[in-house]
Amino acid sequence: MKTFTNARAFRAALIAATIGGASTAALAEITDYKFELLDQTVQAGPDKTITVRLMNTKTGKPVPDAVIFATRLDMAPDGMQEMATKIAPVPGAEPGIHKFKATFGMAGRWQLSLGAKVQGETGTVENKLVITAQK
Ligand SMILES: [Cu+2]
């Protein structure tokens, strides 16, 4: 009987620890993070700046401590997925804000594929954003 009680107590403590740990460490899930474009449009041409913000949609706040990578910028939205252009990160933005430089060689819709690793979260944020390059 004594062993049984101890085992129950141990199990209860374990469950409490698990729940407690989960609530402090990972309130948000990786799907709660979203990239936003600060400007939906750019001028077509060389060396244009794209500005994005990584948001925690649960808190409505930008995420300052994420590692961002831009994977691709191409014209897939206009049926030209083979028309890709280089993207280079631009340092020195505010926390949560990320800037990239790219050449938009053609007016039309461009798709920016972005990824992020967020501290304390498992998995990768992966979003595709559409930017319109204007003449
Ligand atoms: Cu094109």
Side-chain angles (χ1 to χ4, degrees):
M1 191 62 197
K2 185 131 205 233
T3 328
F4 176 70
T5 327
N6 284 345
R8 272 181 64 109
F10 180 69
R11 271 182 64 91
L14 249 184
I15 290 162
T18 308
I19 294 164
S23 66
T24 51
L27 254 179
E29 288 180 44
I30 203 75
T31 49
D32 295 327
Y33 298 92
K34 294 268 180 297
F35 282 103
E36 293 176 352
L37 275 173
L38 267 63
D39 287 306
Q40 313 289 319
T41 58
V42 292
Q43 288 295 113
D47 291 332
K48 299 303 173 193
T49 304
I50 308 163
T51 308
V52 300
R53 179 165 54 196
L54 181 62
M55 295 294 290
N56 180 333
T57 58
K58 274 221 168 130
T59 63
K61 288 183 179 156
V63 183
D65 52 357
V67 178
I68 312 298
F69 42 96
T71 53
R72 197 176 159 88
L73 182 61
D74 63 44
M75 287 197 80
D78 277 352
M80 289 175 270
Q81 38 272 84
E82 73 285 355
M83 190 170 179
T85 189
K86 270 190 195 161
I87 349 155
V90 179
E94 305 158 48
I97 308 277
H98 306 275
K99 289 177 189 277
F100 302 95
K101 223 163 217 162
T103 294
F104 291 84
M106 186 179 166
R109 286 176 299 160
W110 293 76
Q111 177 174 269
L112 176 63
S113 303
L114 288 169
K117 289 283 186 193
V118 179
Q119 276 196 22
E121 302 292 348
T122 42
T124 304
V125 183
E126 279 175 321
N127 287 166
K128 292 182 192 305
L129 303 172
V130 176
I131 307 159
T132 303
Q134 296 174 325
K135 274 196 180 163

